[in-house]
Amino acid sequence: MVSVTSSEASRSRSKKVCVIGAGPSGLVSARELRKEGHKVVVMEQNDDVGGQWLYQPNVEEEDPLGGSSVPTNDTLKVHSSIYSSLRLTSPREIMGYSDFPFLAKKGRDMRRFPGHKELWLYLKDFSEAFGIREMIRFNVRVEFVGEEEKREDVRRWIVRSREKSSGKVIEEIFDAVVVATGHYSHPRLPSIKGMDSWKRKQVHSHVYRVPDPFRNEVVVVVGNSMSGQDISMELVEVAKEVHLSAKSLDISSGLSKVISKHQNLLLHPQIESLEDDGRVIFVDGTWVVADTILYCTGYSYKFPFLESKGRVEVDDDRVGPLFEHTFPPCLSPSLSFVGIPRKLIGFPFFEAQAKWIAQVLSGKSSLPSPDQMLQSVADFYRSRDLAGIPKHNTHDIADFTYCDKYADYVGFPHLEEWRKQLCLSALTNSQENLETYRDSWDDHELLQEALQSSHFTNFDC
């Protein structure tokens, strides 16, 4: 009988893992995987960390609608969809990873709702604090991920990547792949009669950066999500008129206050059709002749590099089947996804996902059988359908209880009560005071509770 030392056992559980993307979900995945003893390679298409938060001001080469007319949808030249003036919609206190608070630093943007650059600097700080940069290959685009032919029931993955500067293609084999590519890059567009033949300017907010190109124009903004509202409030200062087209005219009191304040900002229902003479006709029969239509209609999940033989598909923005939004049952645990869920406090959730994946790969945690996982996914889909939630909102969680249930898989701490309440307080304030909520708030007691919690007091600067 051959005895196995603990170090040998540890090595046998160690996997060679490829993480795709060095944004918030990819960075924390790399850290947690290495903590569990895995050998990690992060592939990042840009020249620095940050993913979506690495601001890219030059969008001249990008298709105004994000390459949507090309069948493969793999034509994006720009990853980030962040515009110049963007500020966080949540206070910084709730944004940090569990052991690395998002602190205000002298000489930087110290506001509670800082601009996008401050969050990018936080991600850089996180990368440096935990030595993550050394695991990252920058300026490398992943072009293909597919399963290697199985040997003795061992599943491994072929990853083919291309160096952007040299064009050199590298093909490697990994034990596991973690997809952390984000979901705010590929524009999701509505289907509107006349849209394909409308001769005037049509752009998606993916390529919106500053308001000046729209000076003195009549602009129709489609969609009144946070970005649609933000961009409308910015455009109203330079455009001749801004017409905000919303699915519902039942709007928040905060948006109502903004509209009543600006004579050149008008609310409309959805668009019925676009006409050759430049008219935009709304479903209530009203119309306006517009110079530009700006679509603030969200983003789609796309994984153009992934060849899963139909075992992971995107159907109207439902990525699946994924057990708990993370593991494809038939390909687990060697393939996983981090950062798919939306409408939650992202960084702690991504961290919980990353810990779970790392521990499953090392054998410290185990998954249910593929059949049990598939049944769980089917039950989840049924519950969403019964609740009347559209398929394309499958991954919109908006539920703290679910976040805590998820954390239980790996013994990750539940969200602190102050974190939940600060999130809800900011949301309520934005509904009431859309223009001022980032700079005027009344949650001082909650803020003090947060700052006195172990999340902040245990952190050693």
Side-chain angles (χ1 to χ4, degrees):
M1 181 176 173
V2 180
S3 64
V4 180
T5 66
S6 59
S7 61
E8 285 172 326
S10 174
R11 274 199 301 276
S12 72
R13 292 195 299 269
S14 175
K15 303 283 195 300
K16 184 182 177 187
V17 186
C18 176
V19 176
I20 306 175
S25 54
L27 293 173
V28 77
S29 296
R31 184 186 73 164
E32 296 304 323
L33 286 160
R34 188 170 63 180
K35 266 191 200 174
E36 278 295 308
H38 302 298
K39 183 182 177 187
V40 184
V41 175
V42 182
M43 298 194 186
E44 168 54 49
Q45 64 182 340
N46 286 314
D47 60 2
D48 210 337
V49 301
Q52 192 61 227
W53 297 98
L54 179 62
Y55 177 63
Q56 295 174 274
N58 300 316
V59 292
E60 292 82 8
E61 291 186 23
E62 186 73 289
D63 183 291
L65 293 176
S68 57
S69 59
V70 180
T72 64
N73 259 330
D74 189 22
T75 58
L76 290 178
K77 291 180 169 60
V78 176
H79 178 69
S80 176
S81 299
I82 283 176
Y83 43 93
S84 177
S85 66
L86 185 141
R87 288 175 66 183
L88 303 190
T89 57
S90 300
R92 67 162 69 233
E93 298 84 31
I94 75 171
M95 296 285 289
Y97 299 113
S98 67
D99 56 355
F100 197 75
F102 186 10
L103 299 171
K105 295 192 174 183
K106 285 183 180 174
R108 295 201 338 207
D109 186 345
M110 297 181 68
R111 295 174 295 179
R112 288 189 67 202
F113 295 77
H116 57 81
K117 184 179 179 182
E118 184 66 11
L119 186 53
W120 172 65
L121 289 171
Y122 167 79
L123 292 168
K124 281 181 66 108
D125 292 344
F126 177 77
S127 303
E128 283 155 24
F130 294 99
I132 299 169
R133 289 188 78 94
E134 66 199 43
M135 294 185 269
I136 305 173
R137 294 184 199 161
F138 292 107
N139 295 306
V140 169
R141 184 189 287 267
V142 174
E143 295 189 338
F144 175 81
V145 173
E147 198 178 353
E148 186 191 39
E149 196 170 322
K150 261 191 179 180
R151 295 175 191 171
E152 299 175 5
D153 245 17
V154 175
R155 177 178 280 122
R156 300 199 304 171
W157 294 87
I158 302 165
V159 177
R160 191 161 61 238
S161 60
R162 183 185 297 272
E163 292 179 357
K164 284 171 82 172
S165 55
S166 68
K168 181 183 175 185
V169 175
I170 301 172
E171 193 168 287
E172 297 161 275
I173 303 295
F174 289 89
D175 299 310
V177 173
V178 177
V179 179
T181 50
H183 47 76
Y184 291 112
S185 289
H186 290 273
R188 179 181 171 89
L189 290 164
S191 178
I192 298 171
K193 183 184 174 187
M195 186 174 168
D196 292 340
S197 58
W198 204 66
K199 299 291 192 292
R200 301 187 179 202
K201 192 163 61 174
Q202 296 184 77
V203 298
H204 190 276
S205 56
H206 169 63
V207 296
Y208 175 87
R209 292 296 179 267
V210 292
D212 207 59
F214 304 89
R215 187 170 294 278
N216 298 321
E217 288 191 354
V218 175
V219 184
V220 174
V221 175
V222 181
N224 72 327
S225 62
M226 290 306 289
S227 62
Q229 294 177 18
D230 258 4
I231 290 171
S232 293
M233 288 192 293
E234 188 167 71
L235 286 176
V236 84
E237 302 296 336
V238 301
K240 183 180 178 183
E241 296 171 8
V242 178
H243 297 266
L244 181 58
S245 168
K247 277 183 182 173
S248 169
L249 299 184
D250 182 17
I251 58 173
S252 70
S253 58
L255 179 56
S256 184
K257 288 176 195 172
V258 174
I259 290 170
S260 64
K261 181 179 168 183
H262 297 280
Q263 286 190 329
N264 61 334
L265 177 58
L266 300 106
L267 182 67
H268 297 271
Q270 288 183 281
I271 297 172
E272 175 73 33
S273 64
L274 306 181
E275 303 297 325
D276 290 344
D277 59 5
R279 282 183 303 153
V280 177
I281 301 178
F282 302 98
V283 294
D284 63 357
T286 61
W287 57 270
V288 61
V289 176
D291 298 295
T292 299
I293 300 174
L294 176 58
Y295 296 99
C296 297
T297 46
Y299 297 88
S300 288
Y301 297 91
K302 292 197 183 300
F303 312 99
F305 52 83
L306 181 61
E307 174 49 72
S308 70
K309 297 177 181 169
R311 289 170 293 183
V312 180
E313 295 188 320
V314 182
D315 177 14
D316 191 17
D317 285 331
R318 173 179 283 177
V319 185
L322 291 182
F323 177 59
E324 302 295 357
H325 308 273
T326 308
F327 290 105
C330 297
L331 296 169
S332 63
S334 64
L335 181 66
S336 56
F337 294 76
V338 178
I340 294 286
R342 299 182 291 207
K343 295 195 176 178
L344 40 66
I345 303 176
F347 287 28
F349 192 89
F350 304 156
E351 189 178 352
Q353 282 189 294
K355 282 183 184 293
W356 190 27
I357 291 165
Q359 291 179 13
V360 169
L361 287 174
S362 68
K364 199 178 278 185
S365 296
S366 59
L367 294 172
S369 71
D371 284 348
Q372 288 172 315
M373 288 192 278
L374 283 167
Q375 185 58 52
S376 172
V377 174
D379 292 344
F380 171 67
Y381 288 169
R382 197 174 301 111
S383 73
R384 301 295 269 182
D385 292 342
L386 288 171
I389 296 167
K391 187 181 282 187
H392 68 261
N393 295 133
T394 293
H395 303 290
D396 291 1
I397 303 301
D399 184 355
F400 292 138
T401 306
Y402 176 76
C403 296
D404 289 343
K405 182 191 121 184
Y406 194 99
D408 289 338
Y409 280 115
V410 283
F412 191 69
H414 286 188
L415 285 170
E416 304 93 334
E417 193 59 30
W418 57 260
R419 209 185 282 249
K420 297 174 185 177
Q421 294 306 318
L422 280 176
C423 177
L424 294 173
S425 171
L427 193 61
T428 301
N429 198 7
S430 71
Q431 296 283 309
E432 289 296 317
N433 306 296
L434 184 59
E435 278 191 301
T436 60
Y437 78 95
R438 293 180 177 95
D439 297 307
S440 179
W441 54 85
D442 59 1
D443 58 0
H444 300 284
E445 286 184 17
L446 274 173
L447 177 59
Q448 288 310 307
E449 184 183 338
L451 296 177
Q452 289 163 19
S453 71
S454 58
H455 176 65
F456 289 95
T457 58
N458 286 354
F459 180 68
D460 182 9
C461 297

